[in-house]
Every structure is written in C-alpha cells, then in structure tokens.
Amino acid sequence: MARIEAVYRLRSPEEDAGAMARAIAYEQTVELPENLVDDPHVVENVLGRVDGVDPDPSDAGAFLARLSYPEDASNYQLPQLLNLLYGNVSLHPQVRLVDMRLPESFLARFEGPGFGVAGLRRVTGVTDRPLVASVLKPRGAPVERLAALAGDFARGGGDIIKDDQNLFDETLEGFRRRITACARAVDDGNATSGHSCLYFPHLAGPDPSLRWQLDLVSELGLRGVLMSPMVLGLDRVRSLAGTYDLVVMAHPALAGAYVCNRDGGIDHGILLGTLFRLAGADISIFPNTSGRFAFTPRACKAIRDRSLEPLGELKPMLPCPAGGMGFDDLPRLCRDYGSDAVFLIGGSLLGHSDDLAVSTRRFVDRVGELSR
Amino acid sequence: MARIEAVYRLRSPEEDAGAMARAIAYEQTVELPENLVDDPHVVENVLGRVDGVDPDPSDAGAFLARLSYPEDASNYQLPQLLNLLYGNVSLHPQVRLVDMRLPESFLARFEGPGFGVAGLRRVTGVTDRPLVASVLKPRGAPVERLAALAGDFARGGGDIIKDDQNLFDETLEGFRRRITACARAVDDGNATSGHSCLYFPHLAGPDPSLRWQLDLVSELGLRGVLMSPMVLGLDRVRSLAGTYDLVVMAHPALAGAYVCNRDGGIDHGILLGTLFRLAGADISIFPNTSGRFAFTPRACKAIRDRSLEPLGELKPMLPCPAGGMGFDDLPRLCRDYGSDAVFLIGGSLLGHSDDLAVSTRRFVDRVGELSR
C-alpha cells in the first residue's frame, strides 16, 4: 500500500530524538505504548513507521524525523488526514510538521480546485499578468458606500473585489440586499470598463444559512465566494466547494495558530498551500513578507510553490499575497510571484487617491507593465 | 449594546504595547488604517475599543491589553466570534488571547451542552463520584477484539467506553458492523454488572456520511459520540450537537496548535473550556498535568473552571483529564478535579492486569473510595 510521508521537526536533545519519533509513529496510529502493540497485522499495516531521524541542516539543535503512514490510515478523507498528520502531535509543543507528500492514489479521491489557474484566467479574461484584487470594507459602512467602492474598482479595471472577512449581515435578507447592490455596481463598472471584474461575497454563517447564502450567490450569477477554511472547518469548505460551481477564495483567519509558531504547528506551505488546495480553494490569501504580519520570504515561497506544484490531477491554485501592500511593492511582488498570482491590495488602494477607479487603473496598468 | 471582552497578552516592548493594542482593535473589526476610519457610526458602533494596557503581573516583559467589541460584531455565531476574537490576530506570533467574557445577551443565543453534568449523571446513574472512561483501540484490531474490550470494561462497572480517535471504517457498513458489535457487548456487560456503561463511537466522516453515522448511532439507541471539534469545525459540531439528542464527548485533536504556544494562540480554558462548551460539548477531553503531553496545572485548572463556571443559562460541561494516567494518579486526580469530572484511562488500564473487567472494577472502586 502507498504511504503518506510526513517530516516533523523535533526540538529535542539528540539522545531523545529517536524515541520521540517512535512515540509519534505510535501516537498517531495506535495511541498505545509499544509493549501493548503485538498484533502482527497491526504492526505491519497500521503502525506509523520511522524512516529516519537526522539533524536539521538549517536549524541547529533541531532534528528532522521522517515518518510514513499507510495511506488508508487517512481513510482518504480530509478530517482523518489532519488527525493522522497532526491531531495529537499538536499537543506536543516542540514538534512541527514541516513536510508532507501524499501518494497519487490518495490524491485521486479529491477534486481540488474547481477552477484553478486556467479557470480563473478564463472567467476574468486576464491571460498575461497577475490578477489585482481588493476588499470591501469596513463593516458598518452603508450598503451604498460598499456598492460604490465595488463599482469604482470594477470601473478602474480591477479583477476581483471581495468582502472583508469582518463583513456579514444579521439576516439573509440583509445579505441579499447588500450583495445584490454590490453585484449590480460591479456589473455597471464592467459595462464601462469592458472588463470582467468578479465580486466574491464573504460567507461565514452557521448551517443551514451558509447553504442559503451559497444558493443565493449562485442564483445571482456571481462567480465566487470568500471563505475562511480554518473558521468554517477545512472539510466543510471542501464539501461546499465540491457542491457549488463557484470560485473559492480562501482567507487565512485562525490559520496563524498553526503556521506562526516556529517550534510547533504546521508549515505555511502545507496548510495554506497543499491542504487548502485539497479543500478546493482556487485562491489562497496569505500575508506577504512586507506588510503588517510579515511572513518570511521562505514561508511565502513555500505557499506559492505548493499552490502551483504538480499534485496528482488537482488543478493549481493561485497564491494571493496580501496584508498592507502598496503601489511601491508591486515590482517586488511581480518578481517574487511571477504571473500566476493574485495581488490583494486593500487599505492602501482605498488611500491611494480620492478616486478609487483611477487608483485601481493605475495599479492594474503598473502590474501589466511589470509583467511584460 | 453589550460588549464582548477579550484580554490579549502582548509580548512587545513597553513603548509599542499601546499601539499594538489599538492595531488589534482596528484589525479585528474594520481592518483599515486609523486614518481611513472616519464614519462616526463606524467609530461608535463597530470599532473595537482598547479599555486598558498594563504590564502582566505574572509574566515579566509582557503586557495585558483589555479590549472590547460590540457584541453584534460576532453576529451571535460561533464562526464570526472566532474570527472577531482571533481571526487575523492569529497571524501575529506575539499575541495570545488569554481571557474572554461573553455577555448574557450573546450567550442566550446558544444551546450549549445538551446533557451537561446533571444529564450525564442521570444517564450513567453515577451520582457521587467522577466518571471513569476508557478507550477502544488500536485501529486494525479485529471487531471481535474491540467488542470484547468494550464488554469487559462494562462488566467491570466502567462508565463510558469510547472509540479511539484513530478508529474509523472505510464504509458505513463497516461502521455499522463494528459499533453494533461493541454496543451489544456493552449491553451484555451491563446486564452482568447492573450498571449503565455508555458506548461512544468516534465520528469523523465528511458530509453526508457524518449524518448517516449520527442517524445510525441514534437508531441503535446509543447515548453519545466522540468528535474532534477542531478537526470537524467548531460550528459544525455545534450544529450537529443541536440536531441530535446525543452526549458529545469532545477530543482535543489539532487543538494543541492553539493552546500549546506560550506566546501566541488561545488560552487552554477559553478554547477547551468555554468555546467547546458553546459548541455543545458535554465532556471535554484534555491532557492532564502528568502523562505524556503534560499541560500545566494552571492550564488544567483553567479548563476545569471554565467547564463548570456559570455561563449564561448553558449547562456545565464535565472536564475530562486524560493522556497516560495510571492507577497511582487517581488520588491526585480526585483532589484536583473533585467529583464533577470524567477520568479517561486508556493504555494503562489495558496494561493494568490480564483481565480488563477486574482492572476496571479496581479503578472504579478506588475512585469511589477517594470520593467519599
């Protein structure tokens, strides 16, 4: 049987690293002390295996433990895969999941992004440069104000305008009113620009209102939504992404708990790259190296690479650096990410000039120049 | 309007702490720079407020920032509450959510635990001591072996036997066969002991198989299930807990990413206590101070206190210390947790003697003696 490979970085004295790796192999599969595991079938077919433990060449004092698990220990499902790779390991403060390889036979059970890079290029009509996205905010602004922003962004030739993840409505009727107004404004802006800007409402309701929201978004002919997989549940997003023919733009809310702890957690590329892609995200938003949250260049590159690398038959996902970037960051963004990316510019676009359509046009044109 | 209070511990130079607290207040509600927020309605009714920033008396070099948010910024829903309290904050590696108070008017929208302490005492018939629970494992063992363990535990007078969270089945038919066998064995054991041991299967499937599993568990007359809220999604568990008349035993898989990072994340008591209780958990499993994961005594006490403290009209939840505890730990467990708790003894009960029924009887009797 094919195996799921996982590499954990252990922060432990050298003499303990081997025992720690073995403890993880037992913990994640049988959760029993070694002396109680004697059934040959279990040892052969269920137990995790330690394939090697070596010093981490890039991190003095840390060790890389290479483990593998029989792929059926995931039950070919996202919840059980999370549990297998990191469920109880999460309770070890000195263990980080830093690499993961999933076999083709596992990946074949997943649909992944419904649109992917080619699909997003098709629906936006943008073939030769990164997409430019922005955000409707703040919560509390009148619907007319949000709709005007959306319309101006579309008129300026922007590609994707999404709700802020703090934006929501108390009632489904309020949601309908707000997103209808924003969608119309974007349509009007598109009529002026001749471009196909997309509007993605934010969805965060509990069941069953989340499905009503999705039904409404589909009825209105919108092409996508913004969801936070770690807030809603990664597998819930996968299930919804597989049910509706909508672009899924994934927001990293809560994900920092996993990725931002150097000694523990899950590597940026695995969570915001591979796992979000498995959950059906077409676009994965994350904080860029500059800006107010400042992921490291290495973390950003890992997310980018994992978004675009071959992954079974799954479509590639667009990495979406964000978080306080401005006009002057565009050259570096184009250099670091190349053409297959979405650049999310929020507050700094709103503050760039008094006319959002003019600002948007300036950003889009600059991205176009830099990509030639 | 009532306000949701949150206290964040900031690891920052003294001169930056105030600005960091303000940045959080803006980030979590409007996600805009201060100079772009001028609408008086937004400032008054939407923006987070910094109520104070003081040195942390128990942590030199850290600061406690007391913030509050208008309660409707949560939309009275669990996903938006998570997002409000910790969504983008999670991306700050030096900020931890260490305290939270929810107003009565917010709490009134939640059902909380369906059974709670009194309900669990009613269905188990145990009125005067902590409950004793154990685990069916390992994955890969034949169904007959798991059923025999379940039966022996019931025969010995145990209170709750749950599936290991690594236990699952490839098909619903396999699930039916396994849990039916275990449930019958527990019934037979109960007929011998005269006691009402409960059996809780583990649920982790994707939609819609999760609902099929829940329907089957209900049809078989079982009283509860084991679910991992951070694996399935906290609000998905809340939704399911509110739909089915079943005890919800919550497993902390993945939760370590939030609680085990001293500088970031969410306090143990808030996540595994209050938030799990809001999601409808009747029992919250967590690693005890001794054992292989070793939460601190302070963390365990916080979970216990938050499980049992008054919380609107929500029923109290039973704290369930676990993680490698043995017979000799029982006096300390009884002293630390008192009577309103579940003690989860897994591997050490299986290894205690050759006869699981005898071992169980010994554990239960000892807990009874210590509680008198």
Side-chain angles (χ1 to χ4, degrees), chain B residues 108-230:
Chain B
R109 309 283 190 103
F110 286 80
E111 292 183 38
F115 287 76
V117 176
L120 275 159
R121 293 211 174 279
R122 192 179 70 244
V123 292
T124 57
V126 176
T127 56
D128 52 356
R129 60 162 174 83
L131 304 182
V132 175
S134 194
V135 190
L136 293 180
K137 46 179 143 181
R139 167 167 162 70
V143 168
E144 306 75 50
R145 166 78 183 139
L146 297 172
L149 289 173
D152 286 346
F153 181 77
R155 202 151 44 81
D159 303 308
I160 297 170
I161 182 83
K162 73 166 188 72
D163 286 349
D164 185 44
Q165 90 281 3
N166 297 306
L167 225 53
F168 59 83
D169 312 272
E170 283 174 44
T171 62
L172 190 67
E173 190 42 45
F175 177 73
R176 181 199 302 275
R177 203 175 325 121
R178 180 171 61 80
I179 72 165
T180 303
C182 292
R184 283 200 189 134
V186 169
D187 283 347
D188 291 348
N190 284 340
T192 304
S193 71
H195 188 50
S196 297
C197 179
L198 309 179
Y199 166 51
F200 295 170
H202 172 235
L203 302 193
D207 283 325
S209 68
L210 195 63
R211 283 187 175 266
W212 296 336
Q213 289 180 312
L214 280 156
D215 290 339
L216 181 63
V217 167
S218 299
E219 275 166 42
L220 288 176
L222 295 172
R223 302 306 297 258
V225 294
L226 175 75
M227 296 197 277
S228 299
M230 304 318 285

Side-chain angles (χ1 to χ4, degrees), chain A residues 143-154:
Chain A
V143 168
E144 305 76 49
R145 165 81 183 138
L146 297 172
L149 288 173
D152 287 345
F153 181 78

Side-chain angles (χ1 to χ4, degrees), chain B residues 264-305:
Chain B
I266 299 179
D267 188 68
H268 299 76
I270 296 176
L271 184 62
L272 300 170
T274 306
L275 290 173
F276 274 27
R277 200 169 153 195
L278 272 176
D282 296 289
I283 301 169
S284 178
I285 303 172
F286 59 92
N288 198 30
T289 50
S290 60
R292 64 193 186 278
F293 296 112
F295 277 11
T296 64
R298 184 180 165 167
C300 293
K301 184 175 184 310
I303 299 167
R304 180 193 173 278
D305 290 350

Side-chain angles (χ1 to χ4, degrees), chain A residues 90-338:
Chain A
S90 78
L91 299 161
H92 277 296
Q94 303 294 315
V95 181
R96 182 171 172 93
L97 178 66
V98 294
D99 200 0
M100 168 184 82
R101 293 293 151 189
L102 301 167
E104 298 284 329
S105 40
F106 173 91
L107 292 167
R109 309 285 190 104
F110 286 79
E111 292 183 39
F115 288 76
V117 176
L120 276 159
R121 294 211 174 280
R122 192 180 69 246
V123 292
T124 56
V126 176
T127 57
D128 53 355
R129 60 162 175 81
L131 305 183
V132 175
S134 194
V135 189
L136 293 181
K137 44 180 147 181
R139 166 165 164 71
V143 168
E144 305 76 49
R145 165 81 183 138
L146 297 172
L149 288 173
D152 287 345
F153 181 78
R155 202 152 43 82
D159 303 307
I160 297 170
I161 182 83
K162 73 165 188 74
D163 287 349
D164 185 42
Q165 89 283 3
N166 297 307
L167 226 53
F168 59 83
D169 312 271
E170 282 175 46
T171 62
L172 190 67
E173 191 41 46
F175 177 74
R176 179 199 302 274
R177 202 175 323 122
R178 179 171 62 79
I179 73 165
T180 303
C182 292
R184 283 200 188 134
V186 169
D187 283 347
D188 292 348
N190 284 341
T192 305
S193 71
H195 189 51
S196 297
C197 179
L198 309 180
Y199 166 51
F200 295 171
H202 172 236
L203 304 192
D207 282 325
S209 68
L210 194 63
R211 283 187 174 265
W212 297 336
Q213 289 181 311
L214 281 157
D215 290 339
L216 181 62
V217 167
S218 299
E219 275 167 42
L220 288 176
L222 294 172
R223 302 305 297 258
V225 293
L226 175 75
M227 297 196 276
S228 299
M230 304 318 285
V231 173
L232 292 176
L234 199 60
D235 194 62
R236 192 158 168 230
V237 167
R238 183 203 55 76
S239 168
L240 295 170
T243 307
Y244 292 85
D245 185 28
L246 293 167
V247 175
V248 174
M249 188 175 207
H251 189 282
L254 292 194
Y258 294 85
V259 302
C260 289
N261 174 8
R262 184 164 172 273
D263 293 340
I266 299 179
D267 187 68
H268 300 76
I270 296 176
L271 184 63
L272 299 170
T274 307
L275 291 173
F276 274 27
R277 200 169 153 196
L278 272 177
D282 297 288
I283 302 170
S284 178
I285 303 173
F286 58 92
N288 197 31
T289 50
S290 60
R292 64 193 186 281
F293 295 111
F295 277 11
T296 64
R298 184 181 165 165
C300 292
K301 184 173 183 311
I303 298 168
R304 180 192 174 278
D305 291 350
R306 292 246 181 202
S307 298
L308 296 169
E309 74 182 359
L311 185 71
E313 301 292 316
L314 275 66
K315 296 187 181 82
M317 169 177 81
L318 281 171
C320 180
M325 290 177 306
F327 192 77
D328 296 338
D329 297 307
L330 294 177
R332 203 168 37 76
L333 281 168
C334 287
R335 197 190 61 222
D336 289 350
Y337 291 95

